[in-house]
Each structure stands twice: as C-alpha cells, then as structure tokens.
Amino acid sequence: MDFSKAQFERAYGTFSQLPASILPEIVFSGRSNVGKSSLINKVFNRKNLARVSSVPGKTVTINFYSVGGDAKIVDLPGYGYAKVAKTEKDRWAKMMEGYFNSGRNISLVVQLVDMRHPPTADDIMMIDFLTQTGYPFIVALTKSDKLNKTEYKTRLEAIKTELPTVEKDRIIPFSALNGEGAETIRNYIIKYSGGSK
Ligand code: GTP
Ligand code: MG
C-alpha cells in the first residue's frame, strides 16, 4: 500500500449514503478532540489530509479517503462531546450501528484514547464492542508528548489494567508532534489490509 496516495473522497452524513464496501477499510475511532485527524495526517504523512480542528464536536460525518486502489480510510465522527445536542448524539449512534453492522470489509480499527487520562466510559464501550465483535483493532494512546517521563510510564502501565481485554503490544503510545508510534501503526495497517508495502 502506498501511504502517500491517500486522498479525501467524501463526507457522509447518514449511514444509508455510504458507498458499497469493496476494498479493505481502515477505521479510525475515538472521542472528539482525541487527535484523530492529527493521527491520520501523521500516519499517512500528509499535512492537511484530515482537518485538525480547534473546536471539537463540530461535524457528525463519516469521512472516506482512498489510498490508491488498495484500501479506504474511514474517519468516524468523534463521540463524547458534552455540548452536542441529543439529536446529534442519536444521529451518531445510528451511524455507528449502521457502519459496524452491515457486513463491511473492515480490516482494522484504530481506536484512539488520550494517553493523559484513563479511558472514558465511551472509550470502554467502544473497546468492549470491538472485543465482542472480533474486528481486529489496536489502541493508539494519543498526545504522548504531553506527558513527562514519570507520567508516561505510570499511564502506560495503568492503561494495561484499565483495558484488560487488549493485547499489550496492541496498545501503542502515539504523538502527532514527534511521530512516536506512527511506524508501528503503519505496520499494523499493512499487516491487516493485505498490502505488501
Ligand atoms: P474532532 O475531529 O474535532 O473530534 O478532533 P480530532 O480527534 O480529529 O482531533 P484533532 O486532530 O483535530 O486534534 C485536536 C487538538 O489536539 C488539536 O489542537 C491538535 O493540535 C491537538 N493534538 C492532536 N494530536 C496531538 C499530539 O499528538 N500532541 C499534541 N501535543 N497535541 C495534539
Ligand atoms: Mg477530526
């Protein structure tokens, strides 16, 4: 897979608009403001592929990107933003359910969790869901550059007990600033989407 070929395709506001799922889909999921757009940009080595926002929780859309003819990137809407109206939360839930329960070709889910804090109830719910459904997934611990050495060690140890169902080498500290973890995440993407490079 040629990571440099990643390109924005379209944003979908309802599940029923989604295109047929043919190519493997690499899915990015996490709460609003966790650093999803920044991670996508770093992993695919592009500055403005996904829009980095200063205002969280603005868009409830599923964004599709293509990676040449090899795979799709699926950027799910962020969850857990308190100021979002209930109607938007309901729309979010419907889109998630629609996306995950319609037999799509999901090859890997990258679940993002802010490394500075214990996983939120919503994070745990997503991870439980992924564990139950059996979709391959990894956990990216975002904003790792914001922790000092001691905090880093403490949080990394703690998260392994907070997420007991996740294999330890699938918990990957990540920083969009210094690139920590980007290569490991790329390797998982390659491994699961069947690309040779
Ligand atoms: P929404 O799409 O709005 O839900 O947010 P998102 O999850 O896509 O997060 P985004 O990438 O837009 O980043 C949110 C904020 O966190 C921005 O101000 C980023 O600059 C900052 N940020 C993201 N990743 C990192 C990181 O690894 N390190 C640091 N220090 N800041 C980061
Ligand atoms: Mg975003």
Side-chain angles (χ1 to χ4, degrees), residues 32-38 52-53 56-57 143 145-146 175-177:
S32 184
N33 207 39
V34 69
K36 210 148 44 71
S37 299
S38 305
V52 173
S53 46
K143 311 191 185 183
D145 59 272
K146 290 200 175 193
S175 165
L177 282 198

Side-chain angles (χ1 to χ4, degrees), residues 12-141:
Y12 297 91
T14 64
F15 154 69
S16 55
Q17 297 173 328
L18 292 181
S21 173
I22 299 154
L23 295 173
E25 295 182 355
I26 306 143
V27 186
F28 294 84
S29 152
R31 71 164 178 74
S32 184
N33 207 39
V34 69
K36 210 148 44 71
S37 299
S38 305
L39 181 142
I40 291 172
N41 287 337
K42 190 74 196 175
V43 165
F44 290 89
N45 215 354
R46 296 273 297 278
K47 270 217 162 70
N48 295 308
L49 187 60
R51 201 146 38 85
V52 173
S53 46
S54 45
V55 190
K58 270 208 308 205
T59 47
V60 184
T61 56
I62 298 184
N63 301 327
F64 271 65
Y65 305 77
S66 60
V67 192
D70 296 320
K72 302 276 185 194
I73 301 167
V74 180
D75 180 8
L76 295 177
Y79 51 78
Y81 188 58
K83 285 183 188 158
V84 166
K86 175 155 189 322
T87 49
E88 281 297 280
K89 287 182 183 165
D90 290 348
R91 202 156 76 80
W92 180 89
K94 273 208 185 96
M95 290 223 289
M96 284 305 116
E97 211 180 300
Y99 178 76
F100 280 109
N101 295 325
S102 53
R104 300 187 72 86
N105 185 3
I106 297 171
S107 57
L108 179 69
V109 180
V110 181
Q111 173 65 40
L112 281 67
V113 173
D114 192 324
M115 184 161 183
R116 296 171 296 173
H117 314 290
T120 66
D122 290 329
D123 292 335
I124 302 267
M125 212 163 67
M126 268 312 296
I127 288 162
D128 284 348
F129 171 76
L130 293 170
T131 304
Q132 279 159 27
T133 52
Y135 289 123
F137 73 96
I138 57 177
V139 174
L141 299 179

